Amino acid sequence: MANTARSLANAGADSLVLFNRFYQPDLDLNNLEVVPNLKLSTSTELRLPLRWIAILYGQVNTDLALTTGVHTVTDVLKGVAAGGAITMIASELLRNGINRLQVLRMGVEEWLVENEYESLAQLQGSLSQINCAEPAAFERANYMRVLSSYSPDYP
Ligand SMILES: Cc1cc2nc3c(=O)[nH]c(=O)nc-3n(C[C@H](O)[C@H](O)[C@H](O)COP(=O)(O)O)c2cc1C
């Protein structure tokens, strides 16, 4: 992934969008058919683009745009902190309407003021791999620790 991103940047891409959502059809066993089935995203899908933007920020010579799983003010802020120049929103607007954009924008502004940021640019990339306190958290080496942190919900 990183190699492809760098090749695209070297070939002249000004920006990369990570990641356009891959639509997968479902199977209808009763009618033995492949059926299109649009499921809108949730915030849980943010992790994949978040991780790759955090890894690529400052390492490839392009802007990075985050798409998939942006629904809340927190999601927008995370996308920028990872290194996104912009975050993109589709499912949330389909679910809750275009006015949601204004709510998100105001929420982002409030958060920046409350947390004493002078601009969104100041937040951008602050939790990317090259800037965060624990770069290994983005790598597979951290896998065992992630698994150890899991605690089942059932009694
Ligand atoms: C109804 C619908 C239409 C879309 N049409 C396009 C499209 O024409 N071209 C494209 O690149 N992505 C398209 N997408 C994908 C979105 O740009 C986006 O990558 C995806 O929905 C993930 O973002 P989200 O989590 O905010 O929905 C579409 C998504 C939806 C839900």
Side-chain angles (χ1 to χ4, degrees), residues 1-95:
M1 182 55 222
N3 188 39
T4 302
R6 185 163 281 168
S7 299
L8 290 167
N10 290 343
D14 292 326
S15 59
L16 299 177
V17 177
L18 283 75
F19 293 103
N20 197 278
R21 198 151 168 258
F22 180 43
Y23 286 104
Q24 301 156 55
D26 201 359
L27 301 184
D28 178 342
L29 290 178
N30 292 329
N31 296 309
L32 295 180
E33 280 176 356
V34 180
V35 284
N37 184 1
L38 175 63
K39 293 254 187 249
L40 297 177
S41 74
T42 66
S43 290
T44 54
E45 292 176 52
L46 185 69
R47 299 274 186 102
L48 180 69
L50 202 63
R51 174 172 180 263
W52 273 106
I53 286 192
I55 289 171
L56 295 177
Y57 178 80
Q59 307 272 17
V60 293
N61 191 22
T62 63
D63 280 338
L64 301 166
L66 187 149
T67 177
T68 298
V70 178
H71 292 265
T72 66
V73 169
T74 306
D75 295 339
V76 174
L77 292 165
K78 283 181 186 176
V80 176
I86 61 167
T87 57
M88 302 163 75
I89 302 179
S91 294
E92 178 64 22
L93 300 185
L94 287 169
R95 243 188 229 120

